[in-house]
Amino acid sequence: MKIKICGLKHPDNIAEITALGPDFIGLIFHEKSPRYVGNECSEISTGNFKKVGVFVDETAEKILETALRFGLYAVQLHGAESPEFCRKMKASGLRVIKAFSVGAAFDFGQTFGYQDVCDFFLFDAKGKNPGGNGIQYDWDILKNYVGETPFLLSGGLRPSDAEQVLAFRHPMMAGVDLNSGFEIEPGLKNVKWIERFMKKLTTFKKLPNLNFSPDKRGFYGQFGGAFVPEMLHPNVEELQNRYLEILASPSFQADFDRLLRDYAGRPTPLYLAPSLSERYGCRVFLKREDLNHTGSHKINNAIGQVLLAQRLGKRRIIAETGAGQHGVATATVCALMGLECVVYMGEVDIKRQAPNVARMQMLGATVVPAISGSRTLKDATNEAIRDWINNPENTYYIIGSTVGPHPYPDMVARFQSVISAEIRRQLKQQTGRSDPDLVVACVGGGSNAAGAFYHFLKRKKVRLVGVEAAGHGVDSGKTAATLAIGTPGIIHGSRTFLMQTPDGQIVEPHSISAGLDYPGIGPLHAFLKNCHRAEYLSVTDDEALQAAFLLARTEGIIPALESAHALAALEKLSFRTDEVVVVNLSGRGDKDLETYSTNLEKFQ
Ligand SMILES: *Cc1c(COP(=O)(O)O)cnc(C)c1O
């Protein structure tokens, strides 16, 4: 949560406040304001904290001149400045915050024109002055704000409001603006009050209080939610209303546990890899999800969702698949349960992944080619959604990763959490303690990583590292490293990071591994990155190949190309000798043999 302290003017007071480490301080350059900072910039302009200059209907020339003199990082515009004016400010290299005065009623439509030309909005209370009125408004009205630009909450915040601020969850709230409520007199802040308030708010960032489950609307902080066409509301709401109750029921748990054990082959081993341990100078354990039935962690989720579908009375299952791994897992469980199964797959992927298509057909599933667009995963997803809209009564849509509208990301993470539950038990047996120092997992949509992280999220000594596919390199234009180069937006029903052009067109991803070749990422990971609970690295195609050959030659295990990304990340980290490192080996490499064999010579 960002904290901006606004309306400072005394150099000593500024020094004390900036020592507290707020994200921004605001200097008011509106002469009529009692907090007008004046023209003396010699003392104020030094120091490299981020200064926001506040202006009311000032000329561009005056603003730019002031920005230069005071070394402003951003301008906050409190008057009737137009979107065009904001664009001009932004073009000059300044960040732009546009303030809006929100009264008992406010038409958020007014903000639309400013979406692309502002970095933040600031929602202030309507009062007789442009800001600093000390008036509060009912924040509930902000629920009507559905824009994409993050905002700062402002308007008469007082020291006693910290709890309320923490309780107020809006997906786009980026922080708070503190001003008159924290003053001894206009322009002179009470340092103690601000210090205490900031402490309270930053406990939010500290782990014990961070909530890694989404709220009722499916938001992890500002990420997640359920952005679906109206036609899908009944299906999605039915799921939202029922999934927790069904998952918690003893009969569900008994069936789920039994199938994971007797059918999928769980628990999968936790294997101390001697060669890797020697190479990296620590204890490297591999969580062997590759040994699951059908060859990856995807079966955990497929079993869970098919059991859920049965309990919702659905007899027909649909799914989308890229490389075919999720399709195969779904077709497998449908065959087991005697359910009809239709898998949508891009026409291009059908050609590229022929063995998996044959598997699905052998298992009795119907594979339907998606023939629109780039004829890959994204188009298959669109076809599956269309099918669901047309068959809301009898059909259940199984999504294969921690993506999609709420409740899918949370539900899939829960099904995959068996991975970290087992890691804890197995580590305890093998090393005497349940917590490793580090967990590493590859991230496509994020389900195997979510499962491997799940029971460690609140154990803050455990370092969590997600590994994205860099493709040819993060800046090469041929990459799938969403968190490295993406920006927030909406994809497949949830708000998260995605790879997009400035005007919102999705950028085609590239990775040598089909399972990581996705332009978005699950909202949980967007959140974990943003609150610094997990770190995300990226690994190129070649680095992944190298790691796959290393594992094959030294441990006798051929990993999936996806999992090879997690292994390659070990080259980029450093370890103490006694450290315990767990790498989630999400799948086996049979499906990737063609790619491996064309690269044999390079890695001989
Ligand atoms: C599908 C797949 C992945 C990527 O999906 P996540 O949801 O990010 O786990 C990783 N590894 C394997 C073996 C896969 O099949």
Side-chain angles (χ1 to χ4, degrees), residues 22 59 186 211 249 269 359 363 431 459 550 594:
T59 62
N211 197 352
S249 71
R359 274 183 198 113
L363 291 159
T431 70
R459 311 197 61 88
L550 177 74
E594 202 178 308

Side-chain angles (χ1 to χ4, degrees), residues 296-298 325 401 442-449 515-516 560 562-563 586-587:
S296 79
H297 66 291
K298 295 237 167 52
Q325 291 300 100
S401 188
C442 67
V443 182
S447 69
N448 88 86
L516 304 183
E562 291 81 6
S563 323
S586 55

Side-chain angles (χ1 to χ4, degrees), residues 47 51 57 60 68-70 137 151 154 216-217 229 240 243 264 275 298 324 341-342 348 357 436 444 463 487 552 580:
K51 282 158 284 192
D57 293 323
L68 211 58
R69 281 181 59 216
F70 283 81
Y137 63 100
F151 68 85
S154 180
K216 273 215 274 312
R217 293 157 47 216
Q240 289 174 352
Y243 82 110
S275 296
K298 295 237 167 52
C341 178
V342 177
V348 169
V357 176
R463 187 174 166 201
T487 48
V580 171

Side-chain angles (χ1 to χ4, degrees), residues 289-290 294-298 323-326 400-403 412 416 441-450 467 513-517 521 525 559-564 584-588 591-592:
E289 292 302 295
D290 59 316
T294 70
S296 79
H297 66 291
K298 295 237 167 52
Q325 291 300 100
H326 171 53
S401 188
T402 42
V403 298
V412 177
Q416 295 293 0
C442 67
V443 182
S447 69
N448 88 86
V467 186
S513 107
L516 304 183
D517 203 354
I521 186 164
H525 293 287
L561 266 168
E562 291 81 6
S563 323
N584 197 39
L585 203 70
S586 55
R588 62 176 172 241
K591 67 186 178 61
D592 300 313

Side-chain angles (χ1 to χ4, degrees), residues 151-165:
F151 68 85
L152 300 173
L153 182 65
S154 180
L157 284 169
R158 285 181 293 250
S160 55
D161 292 334
E163 278 78 18
Q164 241 179 303
V165 168

Side-chain angles (χ1 to χ4, degrees), residues 55-58 76-83 85-86 98 114:
F55 301 89
V56 183
D57 293 323
E58 191 53 82
Q76 180 175 317
L77 306 172
H78 260 267
E81 297 85 0
S82 65
F85 189 86
C86 296
K98 179 74 185 84
Y114 293 88

Side-chain angles (χ1 to χ4, degrees), residues 563-575:
S563 323
H565 285 74
L567 293 163
L570 298 179
E571 296 283 335
K572 304 179 181 236
L573 298 162
S574 52
F575 310 98

